[in-house]
Amino acid sequence: MTIATLDAVTLGKQLTASDISDTAIALLDEQGTVAAWTHTAERLVGYSAGDVVGRSAALVLPSFKEATTTSAFVEQCRAENGWSGATVVRHRDGRVLDVSVRITMLRGQDATARWLASVTDTVPQSGDATDRSVRGPLLALAPIGVCIRDRQLRSTYVNDVAESHDGLPRDRRLGRRFTEVLPGANAETIEAVMRQVLQNGATKIHEYRTWLPTSQGPEHQFAASFQCLQGADGESLGVCVIGADVTASWQARERLAVLSQASTRLGSTLDVMQASQELADLAVPLLADYVAVDLEQSISFGEGPPVRISATGERLPAFRRAGLASIHQGVPESPWVRGEPVNVPPASPFTAVLRAGKSRLEPVLDTASGTWVDKVPELAHRVRENGMHSIMIVPIRARRALLGVALFVRTTDPVPFHETDLLLAEELVGRAAQALDNARRYALQHTAALTLQRNLLPRHLTGGTAVEVASRYLPADVDHGVGGDWFDVIPLSGARVALVVGDVVGHGLNAAATMGRLRTAVHTLADMELPPDELLAHLDDTVQRLGEEECDVPDQIPAVTGATCLYAVYDPATRRCTMAAAGHPPPAIIDPQGRVTYPDLPTGAPLGIGVRDIFESVELELAEGSVLALYTDGLIETRDHDIEEGMHRLGTALAQPGRTLEDLCDIATQTLPDQAPCDDVTLLLVRTRSLSPSQVASWTLRDDQSAVRTARTLAARQLTEWGLEDLQDATKLIVSELVTNAIRHGTGQIGLRLIRHQVLTCEVSDTDAFAPRPCRARTTDENGRGLFLVTKLSRRWGSRSISGGKVVWAEQDLPYASGPRSAHT
């Protein structure tokens, strides 16, 4: 072989469009210890030569540590004559970088060996992102010639590919300079470049492109790069020369550049099925006539972790067809449509690919009778009928896990697939794997957040005798994730109910978890019978404290960043509703005639933002049969419409007297614009009821000891009228103790009220503002046993503040048969 003329050797552009210019190089000895380092490696991982030379490559390549021993990894590389693939490297600052790595075996004199680790960052950091993202994987897999030269430019180590580039066998090359084996002006020019690299410490990389005549006749285009190898002291040890034959890949690179521009579509979705279809659409017809993408079935539905690729002996995972594309209308080549389970033939190239985790290229598909194709009759028919003659099978992998497999087929195109096509297919599938992995992890998080939120939301709402209830919750679209909306109907004493709707700022698991904490806090505060304005003030303190606790954790992103809430209490005995808001839109009130109003409710500041606002309550009287609509802003606010327009739309939808609450929920949510919601949509509808006068009995008692006897008599008479004679003894004791406490601790008139609804409630009101507390009386004490007795006789008891005093109440379960009027409870 002869060298081309000097005019054929040209100094190429520096780094801007080179295939190999940004490849980090490290030279390893036979035990995996770093023997030499380069500036490109330092730029990639941040370690200087002094940091790594003489140390194990596991410092920056975790793959070494993942093997049983470093020597075991080296032995694996020796058995396979190298290793290549996608992995990660550890940066000096602690970051983990996704890279393409190729470990090439080099041989020297006396059967000595070295390993060349070439690493390319798969995420571009500067320059042309498209070109850089294409280069790395291609270089990691393309045949490259490598020669290591010492400071005197003598060849010390070389790989097998180098001989095919210039025709020089290893024995003739080792120990000699380039000018000694191929003298001439070209060799002198190349050695001059090597000296320049040694002198400059490889501050820049030179790329050369030359056409060299070969024994086969046609010329081949080569690209060569030179990097300075440094020792532990930073001094130059020699030069690493890498040459790549780019002739065969030139057309493929042009096609891949087109794919690279289009592959941005792969990252535009977080839906695994859509991402799979994008992969198939990108490859047809640019690379194949027919493409099928099959996902491991748990991936398709975001269920659990992906399958780990392993050796033989384990059961193959089940697959589901997720992407299909063909040059023919209707994709006649596929026996399965999207979404259907796929039958993987046990003895087929698919099985080998899944077992080994490596791609399979069959330039000429054997479709003769008796081959693996016949093991799946429906597949055999499609293969022969559509003329499938060449296939590539590429596993879809991410993080050492199997996501699926992609099949590339040629039918109409008579040219068989070749190695360059496989490189392109693997590059495309690699990018799709990242998109699918992101979509899978998002689907897992989205499913977990949605499950968490639905488990935290009430599964069954009941309004008791106070209200009729219906609700809807629609999660946001996949681009925004699950939010922190919640709603509740909480039974209170005296047949009253608390109506709650809230919205935590943000989306995802943090928002859902925070929502659960706030819902629990509201339940706790509601049990304390606090008025709406006081309850929101305590809830504001709770949210503020949660946020402060998380801010105390270093590098912790606060999960609690604020929330809005509307809290209302409705009393069916008086038909009065008291409500307060914390940064939340007001409820819609629809009277029985269908008239819609929005009460003038002070908005208040959102919870947890540190404003410490004073919340104000508003009290309204509602006609029986009024509909109250509590909602979050996702129902009334969209990207293209403001809140006022949304409130008008909601009111119009709800202004339909005679409709059931379920119908109204459907109508209200169906009026949303066609585009996917950017926030969760929550709607709580209640239709008010009222207690009939026959269900409530109330009296005013004098503040003296005669009030106890009077209260007992009135209570017993009322229970007889209600047909609740079985509760007379317990009720008289409860009334006696509560009225006695009112006389002892209060002044002025005492109120007694009995309410017969789902339970029997006994209420005693007085002018003392302090809530009673039970205490354990000693044997010598004459008093202190009243509330203890009330606790034993009732299902639950408590107290609540009212204007000018308090109400102490106790509830008892009604007997199953409680007289002729029990059906109204």
Side-chain angles (χ1 to χ4, degrees):
M1 178 181 292
T2 61
I3 293 292
T5 63
L6 180 60
D7 293 337
V9 181
T10 57
L11 185 61
K13 295 181 180 179
Q14 179 181 352
L15 296 175
T16 55
S18 170
D19 298 334
I20 48 181
S21 59
D22 276 346
T23 301
I25 299 297
L27 188 64
L28 314 178
D29 66 13
E30 292 185 89
Q31 287 72 43
T33 302
V34 179
W37 197 243
T38 61
H39 278 296
T40 51
E42 181 177 352
R43 284 199 302 270
L44 178 63
V45 298
Y47 288 99
S48 66
D51 297 327
V52 295
V53 174
R55 302 178 65 179
S56 171
L59 176 66
V60 293
L61 276 174
S63 302
F64 275 67
K65 285 186 177 179
E66 292 175 5
T68 307
T69 62
T70 300
S71 60
F73 184 83
V74 172
E75 287 303 318
Q76 177 188 349
C77 292
R78 185 185 296 276
E80 299 178 4
N81 198 28
W83 181 87
S84 64
T87 184
V88 295
V89 295
R90 186 179 295 109
H91 196 276
R92 185 171 186 172
D93 61 12
R95 289 180 292 137
V96 175
L97 306 177
D98 293 322
V99 296
S100 295
V101 175
R102 176 162 187 168
I103 298 179
T104 305
M105 186 175 185
L106 309 178
R107 303 180 187 277
Q109 293 177 327
D110 301 326
T112 58
R114 289 290 184 270
W115 302 95
L116 185 79
S118 53
V119 183
T120 304
D121 189 354
T122 58
V123 180
Q125 298 176 354
S126 61
D128 186 350
T130 299
D131 181 71
R132 295 163 64 88
S133 61
V134 169
R135 278 203 305 271
L138 281 177
L139 178 64
L141 298 174
I144 57 174
V146 182
C147 182
I148 304 297
R149 295 184 177 275
D150 60 18
R151 289 190 57 83
Q152 287 72 43
L153 305 184
R154 294 172 300 202
S155 176
T156 56
Y157 294 95
V158 67
N159 72 339
D160 296 335
V161 179
E163 181 177 353
S164 65
H165 286 184
D166 55 21
L168 291 175
R170 183 188 309 113
D171 294 342
R172 185 181 174 190
R173 187 193 307 269
L174 289 174
R176 297 180 176 87
R177 291 169 48 181
F178 196 46
T179 52
E180 293 176 348
V181 292
L182 288 172
N186 294 328
E188 293 175 359
T189 301
I190 292 174
E191 286 196 353
V193 174
M194 295 183 192
R195 293 190 185 95
Q196 183 182 7
V197 170
L198 287 173
Q199 292 171 0
N200 294 338
T203 55
K204 60 181 180 178
I205 297 173
H206 301 278
E207 181 184 343
Y208 287 84
R209 294 185 183 273
T210 181
W211 291 87
L212 299 178
T214 64
S215 57
Q216 289 77 18
E219 292 183 323
H220 284 222
Q221 185 177 3
F222 289 86
S225 69
F226 306 86
Q227 292 198 44
C228 180
L229 297 173
Q230 295 177 310
D233 56 1
E235 295 296 324
S236 301
L237 297 179
V239 178
C240 174
V241 182
I242 297 179
D245 186 342
V246 297
T247 305
S249 64
W250 186 257
Q251 181 183 5
R253 288 167 56 79
E254 289 182 335
R255 292 157 60 192
L256 186 57
V258 175
L259 284 177
S260 179
Q261 296 174 4
S263 65
T264 54
R265 292 159 47 186
L266 292 171
S268 64
T269 178
L270 289 173
D271 179 81
V272 292
M273 295 292 286
Q274 184 177 343
S276 300
Q277 186 59 43
E278 293 284 2
L279 169 58
D281 291 339
L282 285 169
V284 175
L286 190 62
L287 180 59
D289 298 329
Y290 161 62
V291 172
V293 180
D294 299 331
L295 295 183
E296 196 274 319
Q297 65 176 3
S298 67
I299 305 298
S300 304
F301 301 98
E303 300 172 352
V307 175
R308 295 288 167 179
I309 297 177
S310 59
T312 58
E314 293 189 13
R315 184 178 179 181
L316 289 175
F319 289 89
R320 192 174 297 272
R321 185 131 294 176
L324 276 175
S326 171
I327 61 174
H328 299 109
Q329 186 73 21
V331 196
E333 300 92 337
S334 177
W336 304 282
V337 299
R338 293 185 66 206
E340 283 188 341
V342 175
N343 182 14
V344 178
S348 70
F350 293 91
T351 305
V353 167
L354 297 175
R355 297 291 191 194
K358 294 183 179 180
S359 301
R360 177 74 172 264
L361 167 64
E362 289 198 8
V364 179
L365 177 63
D366 186 1
T367 59
S369 178
T371 60
W372 66 269
V373 176
D374 288 329
K375 300 294 178 62
V376 185
E378 65 267 34
L379 182 61
H381 173 70
R382 303 293 179 114
V383 167
R384 297 188 177 100
E385 184 180 64
N386 293 279
M388 302 184 192
H389 64 85
S390 184
I391 66 170
M392 296 185 296
I393 307 171
V394 181
I396 306 173
R397 298 174 294 175
R399 304 175 186 273
R400 295 182 176 270
L402 175 67
L403 302 182
V405 62
L407 170 67
F408 301 83
V409 180
R410 279 187 176 162
T411 56
T412 303
D413 187 348
V415 180
F417 287 120
H418 48 79
E419 291 292 339
T420 305
D421 295 314
L422 183 61
L423 293 177
L424 291 168
E426 289 179 329
E427 168 66 17
L428 180 57
V429 169
R431 297 188 199 181
Q434 295 180 11
L436 286 168
D437 188 47
N438 290 337
R440 176 193 66 82
R441 288 186 292 158
Y442 177 83
L444 286 174
Q445 185 183 36
H446 186 266
T447 301
L450 186 59
T451 302
L452 174 62
Q453 186 173 38
R454 286 179 172 169
N455 286 337
L456 292 175
L457 288 174
R459 297 190 178 185
H460 177 66
L461 293 175
T462 176
T465 56
V467 293
E468 177 190 353
V469 182
S471 63
R472 290 294 184 273
Y473 167 69
L474 305 177
D477 60 10
V478 295
D479 291 330
H480 296 83
V482 176
D485 288 13
W486 88 94
F487 56 92
D488 234 324
V489 178
I490 306 172
L492 301 177
S493 64
R496 300 171 307 134
V497 290
L499 310 173
V500 191
V501 65
D503 186 1
V504 175
V505 175
H507 296 86
L509 283 172
N510 282 341
T514 301
M515 175 272 289
R517 299 167 80 178
L518 295 188
R519 179 172 179 250
T520 301
V522 171
H523 267 266
T524 302
L525 296 171
D527 287 343
M528 296 171 63
E529 301 274 5
L530 295 175
D533 53 347
E534 292 184 25
L535 183 141
L536 291 181
H538 284 286
L539 190 61
D540 184 31
D541 291 338
T542 300
V543 178
Q544 186 73 20
R545 184 171 60 254
L546 291 175
E548 292 172 353
E549 289 175 357
E550 294 186 356
C551 288
D552 291 338
V553 181
D555 301 327
Q556 175 74 31
I557 299 176
V560 181
T561 57
T564 66
C565 184
L566 174 68
Y567 184 85
V569 176
Y570 174 69
D571 188 346
T574 63
R575 292 187 287 104
R576 301 198 69 81
C577 182
T578 307
M579 60 185 70
H584 206 85
I589 301 176
I590 302 92
D591 68 15
Q593 289 72 43
R595 292 186 293 266
V596 181
T597 59
Y598 288 92
D600 186 12
L601 179 64
T603 303
L607 303 170
I609 64 174
V611 174
R612 304 290 183 183
D613 197 7
I614 297 177
F615 301 101
E616 300 180 48
S617 293
V618 170
E619 187 175 70
L620 306 171
E621 183 173 340
L622 304 177
E624 183 176 2
S626 297
V627 173
L628 224 65
L630 285 69
Y631 51 88
T632 55
D633 55 7
L635 183 62
I636 59 173
E637 186 177 18
T638 63
R639 298 180 182 94
D640 303 323
H641 303 86
D642 57 22
I643 291 180
E644 287 75 15
E645 184 176 348
M647 293 171 67
H648 176 73
R649 184 184 68 249
L650 174 62
T652 302
L654 297 177
Q656 302 186 47
R659 291 274 194 169
T660 67
L661 293 185
E662 293 293 335
D663 287 344
L664 291 177
C665 280
D666 291 336
I667 295 170
T669 53
Q670 288 170 3
T671 59
L672 289 169
D674 293 336
Q675 74 255 27
C678 59
D679 199 0
D680 287 8
V681 172
T682 301
L683 175 63
L684 174 64
L685 293 183
V686 299
R687 179 172 280 125
T688 62
R689 298 167 175 161
S690 63
L691 298 178
S692 68
S694 63
Q695 292 179 270
V696 182
S698 58
W699 306 271
T700 301
L701 307 174
R702 294 189 305 176
D703 183 19
D704 57 33
Q705 289 299 323
S706 65
V708 176
R709 182 174 62 256
T710 301
R712 291 165 59 94
T713 301
L714 294 172
R717 185 184 305 157
Q718 185 62 52
L719 292 182
T720 300
E721 182 179 341
W722 282 341
L724 299 177
E725 290 86 350
D726 292 344
L727 299 181
Q728 280 189 0
D729 293 339
T731 303
K732 288 192 291 186
L733 286 173
I734 291 172
V735 167
S736 297
E737 297 301 332
L738 295 185
V739 172
T740 298
N741 283 342
I743 295 172
R744 180 175 297 139
H745 300 289
T747 59
Q749 293 183 337
I750 299 172
L752 171 63
R753 184 168 74 160
L754 297 180
I755 306 174
R756 178 176 175 272
H757 52 114
Q758 291 179 320
V759 295
L760 175 66
T761 302
C762 174
E763 296 182 347
V764 174
S765 59
D766 60 50
T767 57
D768 182 27
F770 293 99
R773 294 182 179 179
C775 59
R776 186 173 295 277
R778 294 171 295 182
T779 56
T780 57
D781 291 340
E782 295 183 1
N783 301 310
R785 298 179 179 84
L787 291 180
F788 178 76
L789 182 61
V790 172
T791 302
K792 292 295 185 180
L793 295 174
S794 62
R795 66 192 298 267
R796 65 175 190 146
W797 72 275
S799 67
R800 65 178 183 269
S801 297
I802 59 174
S803 178
K806 69 176 183 298
V807 172
V808 183
W809 53 269
E811 294 178 351
Q812 299 176 76
D813 290 319
L814 297 177
Y816 289 109
S818 57
R821 305 188 193 99
S822 61
H824 190 65
T825 56

